[in-house]
Amino acid sequence: MKKREIKNIILNIKENYSLLIIFILTNTINGVLLRLITIKSSLKISAVLFDLAILIIISLFTFLFKTKKRRVKYLFIMTILITIICIANSIYYHYYSSFISVSLIATAIFAKDVSDAIFENILKPVDLVYLWQPIFFLIYIKRKNVICSKNSTFEKNISKVAIFFSMMIMGIGAILVPSNAWGSLHKLWNRESVVINFGPYIYQIDDIVQSLIPRINTMFGHDSALRVVKEYYKNNKYEKKTNEYSNIFEGKNIIVIHAESIQKFTMDLKFNNQEVTPNLNNLASEGIFFNNFYSQVGVGTSSDAEFTFNTSLMPSNRGTVFVNFFDREYISIPKLLNKKGYYTYSMHANNGEFWNRNKMHQTLGYNYFYSKDSYDIDEIIGLGLSDKSFFTQSVQKMKEIKEQQKKPFYGLLIMLSNHTPFSDLELMPDYPTTIDVEINGEKITRDYINKTKLGNYIKSVHYADEAIGELIKNLDEEGLLDNTILVIYGDHDARLDYDDYNLLYNYDPINDKVMDESDDNYINFNEYEYELNRKVPFIIWTKEKEYNKIVEVPTGMIDVLPTLGNMIGIHSKYQLGTDIMNVKDGDNTVTFTDGSFVTSKLYYNAPKGEIYPLNNEPIAEEYINLRVNHSSELIEVSNDIIYYDLINELEKK
Ligand code: GP9
Ligand code: MN
């Protein structure tokens, strides 16, 4: 081709197809912005190349439309669609630390019920930044009149070149992607890694394909899943190992408290010499306290915590178990206890439809679910009935159940008041989150975390703790603590702002400022400390206080059934967790839904492949690799069981 011809082609593209180029470039910028705003990583060239390639391909469809008007319309619709994808992912990421999936659409319905929380805490102005693109695009359309003129032969040729070019840049992108990131494209539970390496547009397409493939090709997916799961249980067959805790609580009544959004760090805090959680602290010091305990929830938050607690399976990554897979077979604590002659029930004063509990609590095997309709909604805090009123009314019901059933019981009480946005503070007892300092003999009260989200959270946790204290007193008065164990777990963290923690840990009250690295007392509360701080309490307590222990082994919700089960004399042969009382070397791996994990030696961030050591011990490569594989196996096996209803199938055989 002569120089002049090339010049002509470039001129032709510039004059007639500039709108296409604007479309491609501006949307590429939005792809970069999305990565910057969410995962704070925009630097991976591979992701930019994939974004570019996809946008070139999308823009080529313009040629299918014959009139200028239709072509502009098509490009504008695509622009709006892509902007919506960016905004939705941005908002979703700020709440769930993950990216949107079509398989989660049903789950999103429940977000509607927490709409207050969304508007007050989730939608950040930065999520609307992507709107610059359609605005700019619109202005460009209006001002320039040169848009997509049509010239069939030229378009055919340019399409061929563009397809070749996009394939080429995809090829370069593919070379740049690290080999360990390819798995995430196929398995899709490490969504962040897909966006980091392949960009948001490939991710969104991949998600749609991955959600549809099993539906189209169930048999294929099913067979390989069954093989993987069978193989796993063949290699990890349940073997009964007894220890000094075996059957210690067999036959006792069990009361479980699902403590909404309570994080463990609140138990270590005092304001003006007053503990935030005096009641939880008492229970922890008198019972068995797992002080290194993590919830392992996915987007199903509360419901995922309930699921993993009761089944020792990881939550689903392809939707939410309670919403999308409530019609499968699971082996659960209530079912195992029903077999042992227990009466099992759950109580929660929110709408029974929320998280589809009406259906899922039946699936889990609770004999009865007392939901909102069973309660007199006489005091409202946050999402519904206040915890104090909920507990008072529940104790009366529990008393009746005990009298009528004349069987040991397993009762779950799901708390509600300590739910984000922690704004109904006027209904809670006054708890100071300020700090007093003496300067030149004068007492000055500093605002400290008061009026921050964290400050409001602390007040709300203090209320929840007080409610738990009253509940225990009340249960005792009614004789419901006799021959009973009390189990308390925090269901997940409260998604607090990073800056608030920095204020909490690095505030200098004398100078009324937040310290920085230059200060000797500065605590480096980095993103990994934030992850570690998401710990929640897990306590097993009896009135007699005969078992008193602090367990420091890293423990996850998945370990509850094996550990508590050993104490009450049950087990599930499908349990994927560990009996923590059998752990000899003080180490255990707690896997999170994106493949990240924590052990006694390190925190491993799967999306970034980064390691955060927890002490000065040297860490062997093999130690990490073993756990990376174990975590990936756990997630895969759980997902397969849930998705293909494999327990049902294996039990029938
Ligand atoms: C709602 C409550 C809260 O009934 O369990 O659910 P969450 O928003 O924490 O998942
Ligand atoms: Mn919750």
Coordinates of all heavy atoms in Angstrom, one line a residue, residues 61 74 95 237 391 465 541 561 574 653:
F61 N -20.0 -3.5 15.3 CA -21.4 -3.8 15.1 C -22.2 -2.6 14.5 O -23.3 -2.7 14.0 CB -22.1 -4.3 16.3 CG -21.7 -5.7 16.7 CD1 -20.7 -6.0 17.6 CD2 -22.4 -6.8 16.0 CE1 -20.4 -7.3 17.8 CE2 -22.0 -8.1 16.3 CZ -21.0 -8.4 17.2
Y74 N -27.3 3.4 18.1 CA -26.6 2.1 18.6 C -25.5 2.5 19.5 O -25.4 2.0 20.6 CB -26.2 1.3 17.4 CG -25.2 0.2 17.8 CD1 -25.6 -1.0 18.5 CD2 -23.8 0.3 17.6 CE1 -24.7 -1.9 18.9 CE2 -22.9 -0.7 18.0 CZ -23.4 -1.8 18.7 OH -22.5 -2.8 19.1
Y95 N -19.8 -2.0 48.4 CA -20.6 -2.7 49.5 C -20.1 -4.2 49.7 O -19.9 -4.6 50.8 CB -22.1 -2.7 49.1 CG -23.0 -3.1 50.3 CD1 -23.0 -2.3 51.4 CD2 -23.8 -4.2 50.2 CE1 -23.8 -2.6 52.5 CE2 -24.6 -4.5 51.3 CZ -24.6 -3.7 52.4 OH -25.4 -4.1 53.5
K237 N -11.8 -38.6 53.9 CA -13.0 -39.3 54.5 C -13.1 -38.8 56.0 O -12.0 -38.7 56.7 CB -12.7 -40.8 54.4 CG -14.0 -41.6 54.4 CD -13.6 -43.0 54.0 CE -14.7 -44.0 54.0 NZ -15.8 -44.0 54.8
F391 N -35.8 -10.0 72.3 CA -35.4 -11.0 73.3 C -36.4 -11.3 74.3 O -36.7 -12.4 74.7 CB -34.0 -10.6 73.9 CG -32.8 -10.8 73.1 CD1 -31.7 -10.0 73.2 CD2 -32.7 -11.9 72.2 CE1 -30.5 -10.2 72.5 CE2 -31.6 -12.1 71.4 CZ -30.5 -11.3 71.6
D465 N -25.0 -5.4 73.1 CA -24.3 -6.2 74.2 C -25.2 -6.1 75.4 O -25.4 -7.1 76.2 CB -23.0 -5.6 74.5 CG -22.3 -6.2 75.7 OD1 -21.7 -7.3 75.5 OD2 -22.4 -5.7 76.8
W541 N -20.6 -21.0 76.0 CA -20.7 -20.7 77.4 C -21.8 -21.5 78.1 O -22.8 -21.8 77.5 CB -21.0 -19.2 77.5 CG -21.2 -18.6 78.9 CD1 -20.2 -18.1 79.7 CD2 -22.4 -18.5 79.6 NE1 -20.7 -17.7 80.9 CE2 -22.1 -17.9 80.9 CE3 -23.8 -18.8 79.4 CZ2 -23.1 -17.6 81.9 CZ3 -24.7 -18.5 80.3 CH2 -24.4 -17.9 81.6
L561 N -19.4 -26.5 62.9 CA -20.0 -27.8 63.0 C -19.1 -28.9 63.4 O -19.4 -29.7 64.4 CB -20.7 -28.2 61.6 CG -21.3 -29.6 61.4 CD1 -22.1 -30.1 62.6 CD2 -22.1 -29.7 60.2
Y574 N -20.2 -34.6 55.3 CA -19.8 -33.7 54.3 C -19.1 -32.4 54.9 O -18.9 -31.5 54.1 CB -21.1 -33.3 53.5 CG -21.7 -34.5 52.9 CD1 -22.8 -35.1 53.4 CD2 -21.1 -35.1 51.7 CE1 -23.4 -36.2 52.8 CE2 -21.6 -36.2 51.2 CZ -22.8 -36.8 51.7 OH -23.3 -37.9 51.2
K653 N -27.6 -42.9 46.8 CA -26.9 -44.1 46.3 C -26.7 -45.1 47.4 O -26.4 -44.8 48.6 CB -25.6 -43.7 45.7 CG -25.8 -43.1 44.3 CD -24.5 -42.8 43.6 CE -24.9 -42.3 42.2 NZ -23.8 -41.5 41.6

